[in-house]
Amino acid sequence: MVREFREYHTKDAGIFVRVKRVLWEGKSDHQNILVIDTETFGKMLILDGAVMFTERDAFIYHEMLVHPAMCVHEGPRRVLIIGGGDGYALYEVLKYPVEHVTLVELDRKVVEVCCKFFDKAGAFEDERVELVIGDGTKFVETTEGKVDIIYVDSTDPVGAAKALFSEQFYRNVHEVLGDGILVAQTESPFYHIEFIQGVKSKLTAVFQNVHFYTVPIPTYPGGWWSFVFASDRYTPYEIRREPPADLKYYTHEIHRAAFVLPKWVEEKLK
Ligand code: SAM
């Protein structure tokens, strides 16, 4: 029976993909989890009906989440990833000689399912990795240690992920970071520009330097996604380091271009 997966980005627009096979479907304590194999995008992880990533375009999102900050910072030793239970962001971070990576993922089932069906989850076996199953907002509230880079690779700002976009969370992150770098996914400039404006005003109340950047993601709302780079010490324009040789999307030129925003977005984020 030919099946389709549909994700609605508004009440009357979205994407659909033809499904070859449903590989796993279930409900964890936190969300519905679906893994499908598709004609066009390969395997896809879907949480609560929203595409998290596909085998075909995951490299774009995860290279652009991880490598800008990694190429700006002189030499991050300790890294924190909040969310990212699929292991893709972790896999990119571990390409650098970091000493320790803590990954705080709310939902153990996401890690288990991704270890079973996707090929980056082996990153969790790296001896430098500490996997914490818990809420990232609580983690940054209570952790003693300092880290050099924090990545927020979360679901959309609803449910448990909502607090990851709050000013209090950013203040706690600022404490943990010192003069390090925060990078967070910040939704679709096409559909969520007002939300991104809100993130900007919260972050500029906490960090000296706040810069948004964008990237095309075929399977995300609007086909176009945003990230934010925030730091007291660093700006994204000081590229110091070379990226790993095996990347397919990130280059220093793409890094610089990603921070150039279209006129209307620039004006909205003034
Ligand atoms: N890397 C993929 C992408 O391309 O966007 C997806 C991100 S990853 C699957 C999103 C994860 O954030 C989910 O597994 C979800 O359980 C986790 N998450 C949501 N809220 C969280 C919180 N407060 N603390 C820790 N993890 C959280």
Side-chain angles (χ1 to χ4, degrees):
M1 179 186 72
V2 177
R3 288 184 54 165
E4 261 182 18
F5 165 74
R6 285 176 175 253
E7 178 185 350
Y8 280 85
H9 298 154
T10 68
K11 62 178 178 30
D12 46 23
I15 61 160
F16 76 89
V17 287
R18 201 174 303 287
V19 176
K20 282 197 312 199
R21 275 183 311 151
V22 175
L23 298 173
W24 198 91
E25 194 167 11
K27 190 166 175 32
S28 72
D29 295 341
H30 302 280
Q31 52 211 328
N32 292 306
I33 304 173
L34 175 65
V35 180
I36 54 177
D37 191 8
T38 71
E39 296 297 345
T40 305
F41 292 102
K43 286 187 277 188
M44 296 171 80
L45 175 69
I46 295 152
L47 298 181
D48 280 345
V51 173
M52 290 292 110
F53 65 88
T54 85
E55 282 182 318
R56 188 158 175 197
D57 65 6
F59 73 98
I60 306 173
Y61 173 94
H62 295 95
E63 286 189 21
M64 289 305 286
L65 170 74
V66 169
H67 297 293
M70 278 292 182
C71 289
V72 163
H73 198 289
E74 293 95 340
R77 296 181 303 113
R78 299 182 68 82
V79 174
L80 169 61
I81 300 171
I82 293 174
D86 48 85
Y88 274 70
L90 179 62
Y91 180 83
E92 294 300 321
V93 167
L94 292 172
K95 291 179 179 174
Y96 294 85
V98 293
E99 288 172 12
H100 188 269
V101 188
T102 305
L103 188 143
V104 183
E105 163 58 55
L106 183 71
D107 192 342
R108 183 182 301 281
K109 204 69 191 162
V110 169
V111 179
E112 287 171 6
V113 169
C114 289
C115 285
K116 187 168 162 54
F117 291 104
F118 295 98
D119 62 355
K120 298 291 186 286
F124 290 105
E125 304 312 314
D126 188 300
E127 61 183 12
R128 295 171 288 171
V129 175
E130 177 192 2
L131 171 62
V132 173
I133 298 299
D135 184 333
T137 47
K138 302 273 179 302
F139 183 86
V140 293
E141 254 172 47
T142 53
T143 187
E144 299 291 312
K146 290 281 183 205
V147 296
D148 299 306
I149 299 179
I150 295 180
Y151 293 104
V152 181
D153 178 19
S154 72
T155 38
D156 298 327
V158 292
K162 195 173 166 99
L164 298 174
F165 298 85
S166 68
E167 186 168 328
Q168 187 53 54
F169 170 73
Y170 294 140
R171 290 192 181 288
N172 294 334
V173 160
H174 188 261
E175 281 306 303
V176 173
L177 265 182
D179 64 3
I181 301 171
L182 164 68
V183 174
Q185 75 87 2
T186 48
E187 303 290 297
S188 165
F190 189 74
Y191 283 118
H192 310 127
I193 192 67
E194 287 73 25
F195 172 78
I196 298 171
Q197 284 177 309
V199 169
K200 174 170 183 177
S201 63
K202 291 173 202 160
L203 277 170
T204 44
V206 178
F207 287 92
Q208 299 283 329
N209 307 314
V210 176
H211 298 273
F212 288 87
Y213 61 107
T214 69
V215 65
I217 308 275
T219 52
Y220 277 10
W224 187 36
W225 212 246
S226 71
F227 296 100
V228 68
F229 176 114
S231 175
D232 283 349
R233 174 175 171 192
Y234 297 96
T235 77
Y237 308 108
E238 311 148 66
I239 303 174
R240 291 182 178 77
R241 299 201 301 169
E242 288 304 316
D246 68 343
L247 304 186
K248 294 197 302 185
Y249 190 89
Y250 178 91
T251 63
H252 286 170
E253 293 71 25
I254 279 281
H255 174 140
R256 291 187 191 89
F259 283 88
V260 178
L261 301 176
K263 186 166 180 270
W264 120 82
V265 176
E266 195 67 63
E267 283 167 1
K268 284 277 189 183
L269 296 180
K270 264 205 181 12

